[in-house]
Amino acid sequence: MDSAAGWDPTTYLRFADERARPFADLLARVGALAPDVVVDLGCGDGSATATLAQRWPDARVSGVDSSSAMLAAAAAFAVPGRLEFTAGDVREWRPGAPVDVLVSNAVLHWVPGHPQLLTRWAGDLAPGGWLAVQVPGNQTAPTHALLAELVAAPRWATRLAPGEDTALDPDAVLDPVGYLDVLTAAGLTADAWETTYLHVLTGTDPVLRWVSGTVLRPVLSRLSGGDADEFTAEYADALRRAYPARPDGTTVLPFRRVFALGHRPD
């Protein structure tokens, strides 16, 4: 996406350390020793993809993303012949050869019907290959529930067309057992789990700043400047009540994430 709804690497990476932690936790469970082909679908700015090249220095690592802004940032990590980044839609991507490690981090909650996509990706694995995915699972948390409620409110509904925001759908992400079933049915030895991270944030309206790089982004892209400011102010007020600052000035943001891992037998 390269419209007003496009990704902004600077905004997204305000909380780079917090966003990187689930990726590291996911990859810690991948048992590949010396893969030849490693792919990161929805690679974003490429910083996480670069860690794959560091872990497996003999592998050919590629990152795929649909955002030209993110790919421009990722170019700084590219290593000719070793680590490359290409434009593409994860829904349409097909590998040129079987993949040894296929990773998708914080992407699939944007993709309707992604369990079917996982089944296809499982079929793209080489013998002994690994499929590892992580998705935010906080669609019922106040960050999302309040935003969905505001989008559907009479004063905004005619301008925002409620229902267009896939990531706000309470059913956008399966429970861990759902992913376990999908990967097992695809012939993989599967593992799935969930973790709720407690992010301790600082500064003014930190939860608003967090979501402004993700779930709020496509909503604001459909509003004009004045309306966007008014909507943001109303949402910010609701977030302050839902996530009040603690006496020390910090704000705790609980963030649930769902992980799924599949291994194709040799």
Side-chain angles (χ1 to χ4, degrees), residues 44-113:
D45 78 311
S47 57
T49 318
T51 68
L52 302 178
Q54 293 167 0
R55 175 172 173 177
W56 294 298
D58 295 325
R60 299 188 307 277
V61 181
S62 59
V64 179
D65 205 279
S66 61
S67 166
S68 61
M70 285 293 193
L71 290 172
F77 298 100
V79 179
R82 282 256 300 113
L83 173 58
E84 62 182 21
F85 298 94
T86 59
D89 188 322
V90 300
R91 296 168 296 183
E92 301 171 357
W93 172 88
R94 298 308 302 262
V99 180
D100 298 303
V101 178
L102 196 162
V103 179
S104 183
N105 183 60
V107 172
L108 292 178
H109 55 303
W110 299 102
V111 181

Side-chain angles (χ1 to χ4, degrees), residues 107-195:
V107 172
L108 292 178
H109 55 303
W110 299 102
V111 181
H114 68 258
Q116 290 75 27
L117 189 59
L118 286 173
T119 299
R120 195 181 81 202
W121 289 353
D124 292 330
L125 295 179
W130 294 81
L131 172 59
V133 301
Q134 180 273 127
V135 285
N138 55 350
Q139 282 72 21
T140 61
T143 47
H144 290 56
L146 289 170
L147 183 57
E149 180 181 324
L150 192 56
V151 166
R155 63 182 303 189
W156 296 111
T158 56
R159 285 172 277 183
L160 286 173
E164 288 190 2
D165 302 294
T166 302
L168 293 179
D169 183 351
D171 299 320
V173 170
L174 301 181
D175 287 333
V177 67
Y179 290 111
L180 187 76
D181 290 343
V182 169
L183 296 185
T184 300
L188 307 185
T189 300
D191 187 15
W193 68 98
E194 65 178 75
T195 299

